[in-house]
Amino acid sequence: MPETKLSLYYKNVTAEVLGPEHGISKRQFEELAQKTVPAVAECNKQREKGLIPYRDLPYNENYPKDVKSVARDIKAGCENFVVLGIGGSALGNIALQTALNPYMYNLDTKQRKGPRLFVFDNVDPAQFGSFLDWIGDRLDKTIFNVISKSGRTAETAAQFLVIRQMLLTALGEEGYRRQVVATTDAKSGTMRKIADEAKLRTLVVPDGVGGRFSVLSPVGLLSAAVCGIDIDALLAGARKMDEKVSREDFFANPAALNAAINWHYYGRGKPISVMMPYAYGLKDLSDWFRQLWAESLGKTNDLKGNKVFVGPTPVKALGTTDQHSQVQLYREGPNDKLFTFLQVGEFERDIEIGPQPVVAPELAYLSGQKMSKLLNSEKLATEYALLHDKRPCLTVLFDRVDAFAIGQFIYLYEVATSLAGLLFGIDAYDQPAVELGKEATFALMGHADYAGLAEKIKPVAQVDAGYRV
Ligand code: PA5
């Protein structure tokens, strides 16, 4: 298996490049090392005690075996694979697919090694309705993978209930059982109950692994395996990164540096963390990162119960697209952001730019050049322009984009999130603030257990015409 390299480049956050006001000096790096090394040790200790089981997912041999067995079972005759899930049960699947399969995967049979993939992480009836119209007479060639640890998540449950009814009506009990795979808690929860009663095929959401840390479990691995992604390489990449991010040597640990640099800037007027891939395929990794960072680090209380209201704001951008949308703000607006570029050394293919028409000699500089050179030049140009205005920049460099590199990236950011959680002194693994909105939805949808809450919501639900213009 080729061991593609993935590295973090951090020179462009140093005082040497940015000066003392916006750059990190040698002394500050030493202070960051002193603060972060104990966090790495603590994270390693928590792992040994089994408190953060996501860290051992790349070593679990049963999950990939189970996933491959289900993938083999369902692949024959499967033309469409549909994921029903939301948040941590969807974003990893989307990120893997965009990164590791061709752009035209769903449309071009020659470009794909598996069924078409659809991931539904919303309950927009216009979107879902359009899909239902298309899928209606393809149900027997479609596998639905409902992913929900709890099974109570309103969006996933609603989608599932629609699909279940469609399958039962069109294909009967046997067809429903054949076309659904449920990825859920091993023992408890609504989806487990439904799956056991209907004897659905199931895969497990591992115990103690939150959705946003679950992409390297059956949650993210099944759709990847079915769609031809090398899940062994993905997990091998994560294991490779584990060697680096476990190191208690600050300057040799990319997760420690990444977390510490983000933490440093958060406390110095740069609470916004922009991830900007210069590769279309990596764009959904920014979306995955956005959830990981926001849900893990945005917290009211620290571990001692003090009100701290911390949390860096993750922002996703895409190069070069957002050069023509966001860079004006990034350069001339408030200097409140840390930028992380994702850059690719060697693209899996390249395209030569055609000759310029005679009437347009001003385009001669492009003709005969490679598109990858243009893309990477634009990355460098944007970084240069940002540095000119003293904006700190990190780069994660993918020598190539393959499953091994993506596995490294995922593990790097998961551990960086754990370390950032320790630096901020908060619990990176809960998401208490998501609950109230979920419960309010139950109340508004008439759930009997939430009648009291429905009363409290009434004043908000009432539209005051005096304020409507
Ligand atoms: O990261 C998380 O924990 C969340 O985003 C969950 O994945 C999301 O809320 C879906 O939950 P469930 O798997 O129970 O449907």
Side-chain angles (χ1 to χ4, degrees):
M1 181 182 308
E3 296 214 341
T4 303
K5 217 169 125 193
L6 182 110
S7 45
L8 176 75
Y9 183 68
Y10 68 98
K11 184 175 180 188
N12 290 334
V13 301
T14 63
E16 191 188 326
V17 173
L18 293 170
E21 193 184 341
H22 297 286
I24 308 178
S25 68
K26 285 210 165 76
R27 188 181 51 75
Q28 286 172 322
F29 266 115
E30 288 305 330
E31 286 166 9
L32 287 175
Q34 272 174 28
K35 173 135 182 106
T36 310
V37 169
V40 177
E42 173 61 21
C43 189
N44 291 341
K45 208 183 309 159
Q46 289 181 355
R47 178 213 199 138
E48 274 163 32
K49 288 187 189 156
L51 297 174
I52 41 173
Y54 85 83
R55 287 211 55 182
D56 293 317
L57 288 176
Y59 299 90
N60 186 302
E61 289 175 0
N62 293 329
Y63 295 143
K65 209 162 74 196
D66 295 348
V67 161
K68 281 183 209 167
S69 151
V70 173
R72 254 193 318 271
D73 258 21
I74 59 183
K75 244 180 142 170
C78 171
E79 291 180 5
N80 310 294
F81 189 85
V82 183
V83 172
L84 309 176
I86 196 164
S89 298
L91 291 166
N93 300 65
I94 298 170
L96 292 180
Q97 176 73 1
T98 312
L100 295 169
N101 271 329
Y103 178 66
M104 296 299 277
Y105 178 93
N106 268 4
L107 294 182
D108 185 354
T109 44
K110 290 199 285 304
Q111 290 192 43
R112 65 181 149 93
K113 293 178 252 162
R116 297 179 195 93
L117 176 70
F118 301 92
V119 182
F120 286 98
D121 61 352
N122 212 319
V123 280
D124 181 326
Q127 182 207 23
F128 205 52
S130 167
F131 171 72
L132 294 180
D133 289 348
W134 183 82
I135 205 75
D137 51 12
R138 295 174 168 88
L139 290 174
D140 58 338
K141 295 187 169 56
T142 303
I143 295 291
F144 295 90
N145 180 204
V146 55
I147 308 178
S148 181
K149 187 170 175 66
S150 60
R152 290 182 77 231
T153 306
E155 295 89 339
T156 309
Q159 292 170 344
F160 175 68
L161 295 182
V162 171
I163 294 296
R164 174 180 170 275
Q165 191 55 36
M166 242 179 133
L167 287 170
L168 285 171
T169 307
L171 307 175
E173 291 273 352
E174 184 51 39
Y176 161 55
R177 191 171 306 131
R178 197 177 52 236
Q179 304 308 130
V180 175
V181 178
T183 306
T184 190
D185 192 89
K187 295 192 201 85
S188 59
T190 302
M191 187 50 67
R192 170 54 56 190
K193 213 164 47 180
I194 294 171
D196 285 351
E197 191 266 333
K199 298 195 171 55
L200 301 178
R201 262 176 302 214
T202 58
L203 286 167
V204 161
V205 180
D207 240 9
V209 176
R212 56 191 179 273
F213 290 91
S214 71
V215 56
L216 299 178
S217 80
V219 170
L221 294 181
L222 181 63
S223 67
V226 168
C227 295
I229 290 170
D230 183 349
I231 61 170
D232 292 326
L234 199 64
L235 296 167
R239 289 194 294 274
K240 179 81 184 172
M241 183 53 70
D242 185 28
E243 289 166 22
K244 295 189 186 176
V245 298
S246 302
R247 292 175 186 155
E248 293 179 24
D249 171 357
F250 180 67
F251 292 98
N253 180 332
L257 278 160
N258 200 349
I261 290 166
N262 271 277
W263 177 80
H264 170 90
Y265 279 121
Y266 180 83
R268 284 169 180 74
K270 301 190 203 318
I272 300 172
S273 193
V274 179
M275 183 174 279
M276 191 165 181
Y278 272 75
Y280 184 86
L282 303 182
K283 83 177 174 62
D284 292 325
L285 277 176
S286 315
D287 226 4
W288 169 83
F289 153 77
R290 202 165 59 120
Q291 186 212 10
L292 183 67
W293 210 241
E295 270 193 359
S296 302
L297 303 179
K299 299 288 153 75
T300 299
N301 297 316
D302 69 10
L303 291 167
K304 295 182 187 130
N306 303 310
K307 298 254 179 274
V308 286
F309 299 102
V310 291
T313 300
V315 169
K316 58 174 182 169
L318 178 64
T320 66
T321 308
D322 287 324
Q323 285 177 213
H324 303 268
S325 160
Q326 302 296 303
V327 167
Q328 171 63 33
L329 168 75
Y330 291 170
R331 280 194 62 205
E332 289 191 6
N335 192 343
D336 56 358
K337 301 171 191 68
L338 166 65
F339 296 90
T340 303
F341 297 110
L342 309 187
Q343 185 182 348
V344 177
E346 190 191 320
F347 284 80
E348 68 167 284
R349 63 181 294 183
D350 219 336
I351 292 172
E352 190 175 304
I353 302 169
Q356 80 281 12
V358 177
V359 293
E362 62 274 31
L363 297 182
Y365 77 99
L366 285 174
S367 73
Q369 302 250 41
K370 299 284 190 226
M371 225 173 226
S372 67
K373 182 177 175 195
L374 177 60
L375 184 55
N376 279 336
S377 299
E378 296 214 36
K379 181 265 176 183
L380 200 56
T382 302
E383 190 172 21
Y384 166 76
L386 289 169
L387 294 174
H388 178 271
D389 293 298
K390 310 281 182 225
R391 316 285 153 139
C393 298
L394 293 171
T395 295
V396 178
L397 182 63
F398 292 68
D399 279 6
R400 275 185 311 280
V401 174
D402 58 19
F404 190 82
I406 297 296
Q408 289 180 76
F409 180 87
I410 286 168
Y411 204 79
L412 167 65
Y413 268 85
E414 286 179 342
V415 177
T417 304
S418 290
L419 297 178
L422 290 164
L423 293 175
F424 282 110
I426 50 93
D427 181 347
Y429 308 105
D430 64 358
Q431 57 283 329
V434 180
E435 287 313 307
L436 186 58
K438 278 192 183 178
E439 287 169 10
T441 302
F442 295 154
L444 288 165
M445 293 298 285
H447 193 308
D449 295 349
Y450 296 86
L453 184 54
E455 280 305 307
K456 289 192 197 159
I457 298 170
K458 269 190 183 157
V460 180
Q462 228 149 29
V463 174
D464 189 331
Y467 290 85
R468 197 168 187 160
V469 289

